[in-house]
Amino acid sequence: MSGNVKLLNDTLAAAKSEGRAALIAYLPAGFPTVDGGIDAVKAVIDGGADVVEVGLPHSDPVLDGPVIQTADDIALRGGVRIADVLRTVREAHRATGKPILVMTYWNPVDRYGVERFAAELAEAGGAGCILPDLPVQESALWREHADKHALATVFVVAPSSKDERLAEITAAGSGFVYAASLMGVTGTRESVGAQAENLVARARASRADLPVCVGIGVSDAVQAAEVARFADGVIVGSAFVKRLLDAPDPAAGLQAVRALAGELAEGVRGGS
């Protein structure tokens, strides 16, 4: 079975044709439970997210801030496995028809088996993988299997990335490139900053046909509207996870992330 890279590409193109940025939500699998995580993905899509990144919880999430680290810890203590991540992708995609990616550090994929992971992600209806710690020069094996199974390979670039490096990364990537708005770990910020706009312009200069989506620091509709002015997609993770962490019960958590998705969806459309 083929993966859904075409669905991802079409979704981003459709948002662009509407004159807006796409809203991309991040939620870790297995948080607060496996079933609760699936419900949360459905809720953010119901609220207005165009694409969802499902996080594969990791014991040493070096690029994630304290909010996502807390959620990952809860998921891992709950016994989440790769099979649960794939089930989250499968059930969320089947229920919504939206593109669902997995965001994961490389080690779990390498240990699971690169070909096996790609094949099973495609079989689950996944659209691709975001691999924040896989160096592009070491990515040939993954990209071979991702291409074979019609999965996007999304790399992460940062403001510190030199132009030569940006060109190398964007040439190898597919789906979109994840532009980290600033240096540091994930989390909400008071301001996303001018660094992000400059990084988007540089990434586009290196490869014009690859959408550039901005994450790290976006937490509300005002920031989403700011980023949507210059990016093809706005990525929000910690703000959704915090809503679930702060909720008094699961139903309230789902209501909170659905409402936030609605506010952010308005933001990427130019409202705030």
Side-chain angles (χ1 to χ4, degrees), residues 50-98:
D50 299 291
V51 180
V52 175
E53 304 171 6
V54 171
L56 194 159
H58 194 271
S59 56
D60 185 26
V62 292
L63 299 178
D64 292 309
V67 170
I68 291 175
Q69 285 184 21
T70 298
D72 276 8
D73 185 56
I74 290 167
L76 290 166
R77 284 191 281 114
V80 71
R81 297 287 182 266
I82 286 179
D84 300 312
V85 178
L86 295 169
R87 180 186 152 214
T88 301
V89 172
R90 178 181 295 106
E91 294 197 15
H93 173 65
R94 184 182 296 158
T96 67
K98 297 290 187 180

Side-chain angles (χ1 to χ4, degrees), residues 185-213:
V185 298
T186 59
T188 61
R189 300 290 196 281
E190 290 299 316
S191 172
V192 178
Q195 282 186 318
E197 187 166 2
N198 177 258
L199 178 58
V200 169
R202 291 170 55 224
R204 283 195 181 130
S206 67
R207 184 177 164 189
D209 67 319
L210 187 66
V212 186
C213 301

Side-chain angles (χ1 to χ4, degrees), residues 20-38:
R20 67 175 179 89
L23 174 60
I24 303 174
Y26 166 93
L27 287 165
F31 169 74
T33 62
V34 175
D35 287 341
I38 293 168

Side-chain angles (χ1 to χ4, degrees), residues 57-253:
H58 194 271
S59 56
D60 185 26
V62 292
L63 299 178
D64 292 309
V67 170
I68 291 175
Q69 285 184 21
T70 298
D72 276 8
D73 185 56
I74 290 167
L76 290 166
R77 284 191 281 114
V80 71
R81 297 287 182 266
I82 286 179
D84 300 312
V85 178
L86 295 169
R87 180 186 152 214
T88 301
V89 172
R90 178 181 295 106
E91 294 197 15
H93 173 65
R94 184 182 296 158
T96 67
K98 297 290 187 180
I100 314 290
L101 300 107
V102 168
M103 185 165 190
T104 178
Y105 295 96
W106 179 243
N107 182 254
V109 176
D110 193 37
R111 283 171 46 203
Y112 194 74
V114 175
E115 183 171 14
R116 178 187 176 195
F117 187 85
E120 291 183 10
L121 178 57
E123 187 277 328
C129 246
I130 301 165
L131 298 158
D133 66 339
L134 177 64
V136 66
Q137 64 270 24
E138 296 173 20
S139 67
L141 179 64
W142 164 260
R143 286 188 287 125
E144 174 192 340
H145 291 294
D147 290 347
K148 176 181 171 183
H149 292 287
L151 296 168
T153 297
V154 178
F155 292 109
V156 178
V157 296
S160 60
S161 302
K162 302 287 189 246
D163 288 346
E164 184 180 338
R165 179 89 173 135
L166 274 177
E168 186 182 9
I169 291 169
T170 56
S174 56
F176 62 92
V177 62
Y178 186 128
S181 67
L182 38 77
M183 302 302 292
V185 298
T186 59
T188 61
R189 300 290 196 281
E190 290 299 316
S191 172
V192 178
Q195 282 186 318
E197 187 166 2
N198 177 258
L199 178 58
V200 169
R202 291 170 55 224
R204 283 195 181 130
S206 67
R207 184 177 164 189
D209 67 319
L210 187 66
V212 186
C213 301
V214 171
I216 302 185
V218 181
S219 61
D220 60 32
V222 173
Q223 291 173 329
E226 176 193 349
V227 172
R229 283 190 303 100
F230 57 82
D232 298 295
V234 179
I235 303 168
V236 181
S238 296
F240 282 116
V241 176
K242 190 170 190 310
R243 293 282 178 108
L244 291 174
L245 283 168
D246 291 347
D249 57 67

